[in-house]
Amino acid sequence: MAETPGSLAAVLEELGRALPGARLAVLLDTEGLVVASRSFGPGPDPAGLAAVVAACFAGMGRVAVEARLGPGMEWSIAGAGGLLVCRRLPGKELFLAVLVDPGTWQGRARFAARVTAGRLAELL
């Protein structure tokens, strides 16, 4: 992966400051290629997580269509080991995946992902 450009790095760094418990933030495209990433603590390899997250996009899109939700903007998975929030960047074919520690408030993680996705979309 290429080094994260300065402005993207600054936005991802701010996510880590604003969201205690954040472990990893990955900006990825629909093919699972990492555009930028920032680790805040122990967590999976960004490229490995991006590949698996991208594999879920088609299925989650079909769920959104079947449930008549419109285009999917966000999905999350909560497990014993933490929470993963995936958020589409407004107007872009890019996604932000944020992994946080267990016990982190889901609403706070979702809000941080939404704000950060908006800021990243403004840069790109």
Side-chain angles (χ1 to χ4, degrees), residues 28-35 47 50-55 57 93-95:
L28 63 143
D29 68 10
T30 56
E31 300 297 318
L33 297 175
V34 175
V35 175
V52 174
V53 166
F57 292 155
E93 291 297 315
L94 297 168
F95 293 82

Side-chain angles (χ1 to χ4, degrees), residues 19-25 38-44 80-83 98-102:
L19 182 58
R23 285 192 282 171
L24 177 65
R38 174 66 168 90
S39 293
F40 306 104
L83 173 70
V98 180
L99 180 64
V100 298
D101 288 333

Side-chain angles (χ1 to χ4, degrees), residues 54-92:
C56 296
F57 292 155
M60 296 306 287
R62 286 192 302 273
V63 169
V65 168
E66 186 63 30
R68 298 186 179 132
L69 299 174
M73 291 303 299
E74 176 185 291
W75 53 273
S76 61
I77 301 171
L83 173 70
L84 176 67
V85 177
C86 296
R87 179 86 190 181
R88 179 187 293 270
L89 273 64
K92 308 288 182 191

